[in-house]
């Protein structure tokens, strides 16, 4: 179905406006600052239709921003018009669709709060509370409850998108999960197809798959009431390569063995984080809904497994940090990327089907155990569980057999240090994946990369020597289908960026 535009209430900020400099610099990664002709701040779907239609009529490129947490400048550079949907923040229950209606500017923290306080439910989104749902969902967002409940895209039952047809006409389309819907493929593309590819999302509707109740409290998973956090920490000054390898092998092997959908162990997730040795500590953290019987016991079983055979003793082992779930996710755990103070940033990703080999881990250790301090974060986040209950073709997120997500990242402030920090990160990633051309090519151990952590290097043959295109790394076998959706709903390629879905040849 389509909608016509009501009266325009869009705010517009252009160069010369006192607000412009702040508006173009509000993004997280200051390596990429907007240079657009103007920025639109719509409040309604009709406003978006009008803004996109005007931009197309003017021959201007259209890009989209919700929270400004894109990592590679895909929503802000190379001129044109930036449609910023951060003022579209509504979270409501839609009785006609029996689903929760969420606008793209709603922040993760606000979404947690609204769903919990009004209906006692939640969704498996991330921990970074300032991220907006607009880009987070369409890229296949995940969070601490994903092993228990799945990916956020698994709850998408409908989406409203402003698209541009072959004549240049902008219109709003509502696409649903009903296979009989003529726009069903547009819905499917938004279950992990990545932001800025097909149009501008103006609303999502979320509901548990197969739910039949009319009661909002029965249409999404129940929210936890209390949350248990645990920590293991080892001092870097006592760490050996052998122990580092053993810790990360133990950690990865636990997830290999304990990621069956619906299993007791899938209720627990965790993270491993190692930085350069100058940062003093290596950390493994566990997270679990403390309302689950045996949550403390499972936490300690996990910690025992991680510590098995490790000679160096952890300086901290704590499994009894129990707090209000809502407090943890909206106050105690602020995780605001913009809190880095306008830093410069680079991030690389990987899906892991298996733990790294001892040789891979040893190579990583040698990048962290150097005399020159490097600003590198080497992280692995629990995945799998209920995420892997669906087949790869069910959603645009094709990675349905991984048990960990890897994140390699660096942040700094001085533009003069760009080459140094990016070079360090590139070298670490390349060496870990030396056997597969410097990137996580899909095989029995890897399953490509995560589109919500975009990395231009995957499209650069200098850093991706595998011969496998970036599109396959991100989308696996689903890419040709995404290209067909692109052909139908964005035939003019109005929505494009450095890693956007390409039109079929």
């Amino acid at each position: 179905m389509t909608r016509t535009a009501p009266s325009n209430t869009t705010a517009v900020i252009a160069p010369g406006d006192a607000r412009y400099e702040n508006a173009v610099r509000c993004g997280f990664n200051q390596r990429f600052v907007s240079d657009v002709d103007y920025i639109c701040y719509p409040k309604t779907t009709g406003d978006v239709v009008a803004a996109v239609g005007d931009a197309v009529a003017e021959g201007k490129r259209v890009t989209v921003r919700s929270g400004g947490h894109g990592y590679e400048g895909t929503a802000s550079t190379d001129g044109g018009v930036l449609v910023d949907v951060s003022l579209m923040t509504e979270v409501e229950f839609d009785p006609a669709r029996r689903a929760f209606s969420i606008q793209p500017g709603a922040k993760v923290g606000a979404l947690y709060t609204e769903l919990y306080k009004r209906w006692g439910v939640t969704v498996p989104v991330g921990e970074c509370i300032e991220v907006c749902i607009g880009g987070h969902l369409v890229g296949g967002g995940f969070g601490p409850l994903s092993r228990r409940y799945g990916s956020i895209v698994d709850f998408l039952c409908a989406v409203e998108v402003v698209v541009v047809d072959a004549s240049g006409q902008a219109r709003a389309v509502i696409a649903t999960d009903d296979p009989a819907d003529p726009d069903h493929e547009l819905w499917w593309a938004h279950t992990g197809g990545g932001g800025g590819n097909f149009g501008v999302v103006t609303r999502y509707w979320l509901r548990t798959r197969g739910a039949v109740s009319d009661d909002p409290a029965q249409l999404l998973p129940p929210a936890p009431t209390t949350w248990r956090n645990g920590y293991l920490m080892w001092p870097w000054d006592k760490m050996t390569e052998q122990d580092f390898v053993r810790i990360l092998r133990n950690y990865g092997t636990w997830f290999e063995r304990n990621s069956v959908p619906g299993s007791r162990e899938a209720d627990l997730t965790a993270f491993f984080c190692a930085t350069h040795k100058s940062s003093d500590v290596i950390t493994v953290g566990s997270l679990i809904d403390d309302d689950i019987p045996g949550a403390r016991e499972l936490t300690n079983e996990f910690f025992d497994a991680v510590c098995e055979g490790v000679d160096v003793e952890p300086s901290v082992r704590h499994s009894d940090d129990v707090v209000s779930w809502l407090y943890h996710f909206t106050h105690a755990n602020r995780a605001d990327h913009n809190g880095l103070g306008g830093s410069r940033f680079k991030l690389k990703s990987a899906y892991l089907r298996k733990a790294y080999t001892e040789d891979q881990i040893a190579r990583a250790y040698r990048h962290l155990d150097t005399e020159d301090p490097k600003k590198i974060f080497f992280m692995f986040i629990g995945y799998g569980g209920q995420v892997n209950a669906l087949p790869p073709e069910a959603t645009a997120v094709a990675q349905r057999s991984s048990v960990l997500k890897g994140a390699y990242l660096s942040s700094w402030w001085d533009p003069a240090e760009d080459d140094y920090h990016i070079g360090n990160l590139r070298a670490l990633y390349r060496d870990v994946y030396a056997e597969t051309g410097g990137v996580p090519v899909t095989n029995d151990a890897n399953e490509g990369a995560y589109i919500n952590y975009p990395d231009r290097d995957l499209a650069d043959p200098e850093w991706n020597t595998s011969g496998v295109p970036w599109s396959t790394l991100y989308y696996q076998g689903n890419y040709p289908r995404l290209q067909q959706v692109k052909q139908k709903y964005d035939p003019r390629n109005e929505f494009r960026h450095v890693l956007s879905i390409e039109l079929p040849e």
Side-chain angles (χ1 to χ4, degrees):
M1 62 179 289
T2 61
R3 291 181 175 176
T4 57
S7 59
N8 193 299
T9 55
T10 303
V12 176
I13 297 177
D17 189 307
R19 299 167 294 174
Y20 182 80
E21 186 67 15
N22 181 67
V24 297
R25 290 192 173 275
C26 73
F28 162 61
N29 188 357
Q30 292 297 295
R31 287 177 55 221
F32 302 99
V33 176
S34 300
D35 62 358
V36 292
D37 299 327
Y38 59 89
I39 304 170
C40 296
Y41 290 92
K43 289 284 288 183
T44 69
T45 298
D47 290 347
V48 176
V49 171
V52 171
D54 289 347
V56 172
E58 295 167 4
K60 296 183 182 296
R61 174 175 175 253
V62 183
T63 54
V64 191
R65 182 174 72 190
S66 52
H69 291 79
Y71 297 134
E72 290 283 53
T74 55
S76 60
T77 55
D78 302 324
V81 176
L82 176 59
V83 179
D84 185 309
V85 294
S86 61
L87 297 182
M88 301 176 69
T89 60
E90 179 184 279
V91 178
E92 293 292 344
F93 180 71
D94 181 346
R97 291 190 178 276
R98 295 187 307 105
F100 292 85
S101 166
I102 302 166
Q103 288 186 310
K107 293 181 179 181
V108 164
L111 181 59
Y112 279 133
T113 300
E114 291 269 349
L115 293 178
Y116 181 84
K117 290 186 174 181
R118 297 176 68 182
W119 300 284
V121 298
T122 194
V123 284
V125 288
E127 289 188 280
C128 300
I129 63 174
E130 293 297 311
V131 168
C132 290
I133 200 69
H136 182 67
L137 192 151
V138 72
F142 75 107
L145 287 169
S146 287
R147 281 172 52 83
R148 186 178 183 186
Y149 293 135
S151 170
I152 182 59
V153 301
D154 301 344
F155 294 84
L156 184 67
C157 63
V159 60
E160 182 178 61
V161 192
V162 174
V163 299
V164 178
D165 65 21
S167 69
Q169 181 72 33
R171 63 192 178 101
V173 179
I174 295 178
T176 74
D177 61 354
D178 180 356
D181 181 353
D183 296 305
H184 178 73
E185 286 295 280
L186 184 63
W187 163 84
W188 178 85
H190 283 80
T191 60
N197 279 315
F198 309 100
V200 183
V201 173
T202 52
R203 191 175 302 271
Y204 295 112
W205 284 268
L206 303 181
R207 182 179 63 236
T208 298
R209 287 186 172 219
V212 296
S213 175
D214 292 323
D215 180 358
Q218 303 299 316
L219 294 174
L220 285 177
T225 56
T226 54
W227 193 250
R228 180 177 294 270
N229 299 297
Y231 303 96
L232 287 171
M233 296 181 182
W234 292 268
W236 251 113
D237 61 0
K238 299 185 186 308
M239 186 60 58
T240 65
E241 180 177 312
Q242 179 181 346
D243 280 330
F244 185 90
V245 169
R246 187 60 183 261
I247 290 167
L248 189 47
R249 278 287 294 173
N250 287 348
Y251 177 86
T253 299
W254 189 90
F255 281 96
E256 271 188 59
R257 296 173 177 172
N258 295 287
S259 295
V260 174
S263 65
R264 166 180 175 264
E265 292 79 11
D267 288 332
L268 181 142
T269 193
F271 65 89
F272 169 96
C273 181
T275 54
H276 185 267
K277 69 176 183 180
S278 59
S279 67
D280 298 331
V281 297
I282 295 165
T283 304
V284 169
S286 68
L287 307 93
I288 188 170
D289 176 357
D290 200 52
D291 300 341
I292 296 170
R296 185 178 188 276
E297 290 75 14
L298 181 55
T299 299
N300 283 310
E301 289 171 21
F302 167 68
F303 283 171
D304 289 344
V306 172
C307 292
E308 183 180 355
V310 178
D311 290 332
V312 62
E313 292 291 326
S315 56
V316 174
R317 175 170 173 158
H318 180 61
S319 58
D320 293 322
D321 180 11
V322 179
V323 296
S324 157
W325 174 81
L326 186 62
Y327 176 80
H328 173 81
F329 281 96
T330 59
H331 291 83
N333 176 42
R334 291 201 169 270
D336 178 2
H337 282 181
N338 288 325
L340 289 172
S343 71
R344 307 172 77 77
F345 188 80
K346 181 67 178 177
L347 176 62
K348 294 175 173 290
S349 70
Y351 284 93
L352 280 67
R353 286 172 159 161
K354 292 182 178 179
Y356 278 164
T357 65
E358 292 187 5
D359 190 40
Q360 283 179 297
I361 300 170
R363 286 178 233 158
Y365 174 87
R366 293 165 200 152
H367 279 270
L368 302 176
D369 183 35
T370 61
E371 290 306 314
D372 58 315
K374 300 176 181 179
K375 293 183 177 179
I376 289 176
F377 293 79
F378 182 61
M379 298 181 66
F380 297 92
I381 306 161
Y383 202 60
Q386 193 61 29
V387 172
N388 293 345
L390 293 178
E393 68 277 7
T395 63
V397 175
Q399 290 88 352
R400 296 288 181 169
S401 60
S402 290
V403 298
L404 290 169
K405 277 193 180 180
Y408 297 61
L409 59 143
S410 184
S411 65
W412 63 98
W413 282 262
D414 186 350
E417 297 178 358
D418 283 4
D419 290 345
Y420 173 75
H421 294 295
I422 294 172
N424 286 338
L425 198 67
R426 283 171 167 167
L428 168 60
Y429 192 74
R430 176 201 61 207
D431 289 354
V432 169
Y433 290 105
E435 290 82 5
T436 53
V439 296
V441 173
T442 298
N443 55 26
D444 65 335
N446 309 316
E447 202 176 12
Y450 177 38
I451 192 59
N452 264 359
Y453 297 167
D455 176 13
R456 295 171 184 235
D457 291 348
L458 298 190
D460 185 342
E462 180 179 357
W463 299 104
N464 175 5
T465 61
S466 69
V468 176
W470 67 266
S471 52
T472 300
L473 293 170
Y474 284 124
Y475 298 112
Q476 309 289 292
N478 284 342
Y479 188 64
R481 185 174 172 185
L482 287 165
Q483 288 184 288
Q484 293 303 314
V485 179
K486 178 79 167 178
Q487 178 72 67
K488 181 175 180 180
Y489 291 96
D490 186 23
R492 297 159 55 104
N493 200 26
E494 296 289 349
F495 300 95
R496 61 190 184 274
H497 51 76
V498 68
L499 293 174
S500 58
I501 304 293
E502 301 158 321
L503 289 167
E505 294 181 358

